[in-house]
Amino acid sequence: MSSKPSLACRHPKVIMIFDNEDDILGAASIIAEQVEDYRTLSASVDIGEKIKELKPSVILFALATVEKSIELYTKVITDKDLDYPHQSILLCKNRESGVAFRCCIKGLFDNYFVYQPLYEKFRLKMIVHNGLLISQTTEQYIGYQEEQLENVDKDLAQLIDDGGACKQSLLNSIDRCKKTSTNLMKL
């Protein structure tokens, strides 16, 4: 008695944000098989409100381009719709994997996965699994120098840097709140 995995959950730990449902069907099915508390959401005007309400632990961005994903992620952080510890995963097309890698090395996204074409089913499962297991602290990897990263358009490079700085500001703010809360509890 086999049941089809559900792509909707009321209180998901994992969400995938998309702008074209046909693009995500394979990846969405793989995650739905693995994670019971999972939901796909269209990148609609009210996506920030939905994130704020659901507070998922892992957010996958599967928009038409990496640039659109960066813009949306930066917007939900800037608008304070996303103001808690989480793992962000960028889904991209193969031709954008270099930019996706850069986004992760620069600290904007926590990981990325090439979902078009979809070859590495188990890699996607591992990324989501690790996203759910990772503690809320983050460390920056300093093993790569700027000149080792793939060259990208100057505006896109600036967008990645600005988005990464925005996310780091959020993480610093969360750490300050935790420390303040801890200090108040000690009083």
Side-chain angles (χ1 to χ4, degrees), residues 69-116:
S69 293
I70 295 167
E71 288 170 348
L72 178 61
Y73 187 39
T74 302
K75 180 179 178 359
V76 295
I77 291 172
T78 303
D79 292 350
K80 299 193 184 325
D81 292 320
L82 185 52
D83 60 356
Y84 61 89
H86 62 280
Q87 288 290 297
S88 58
I89 301 168
L90 175 61
L91 274 60
C92 68
K93 294 173 178 72
N94 189 45
R95 68 178 175 270
E96 291 188 296
S97 62
V99 177
F101 175 78
R102 180 187 184 94
C103 289
C104 294
I105 290 297
K106 291 293 197 161
L108 175 55
F109 290 94
D110 298 300
N111 212 331
Y112 78 95
F113 178 76
V114 175
Y115 77 118
Q116 289 183 351

Side-chain angles (χ1 to χ4, degrees), residues 92-162:
C92 68
K93 294 173 178 72
N94 189 45
R95 68 178 175 270
E96 291 188 296
S97 62
V99 177
F101 175 78
R102 180 187 184 94
C103 289
C104 294
I105 290 297
K106 291 293 197 161
L108 175 55
F109 290 94
D110 298 300
N111 212 331
Y112 78 95
F113 178 76
V114 175
Y115 77 118
Q116 289 183 351
L118 181 59
Y119 292 123
E120 296 287 333
K121 170 182 173 177
F122 295 106
R123 173 90 173 105
L124 177 58
K125 287 183 174 212
M126 180 55 77
I127 289 170
V128 172
H129 174 77
N130 286 341
L132 288 168
L133 291 179
I134 290 178
S135 69
Q136 303 305 334
T137 60
T138 59
E139 296 179 15
Q140 277 218 297
Y141 179 69
I142 56 172
Y144 282 90
Q145 304 302 317
E146 185 71 28
E147 51 275 359
Q148 292 175 295
L149 300 174
E150 184 172 298
N151 287 330
V152 296
D153 171 272
K154 190 176 184 178
D155 291 335
L156 183 54
Q158 186 62 50
L159 182 62
I160 293 168
D161 289 343
D162 291 347

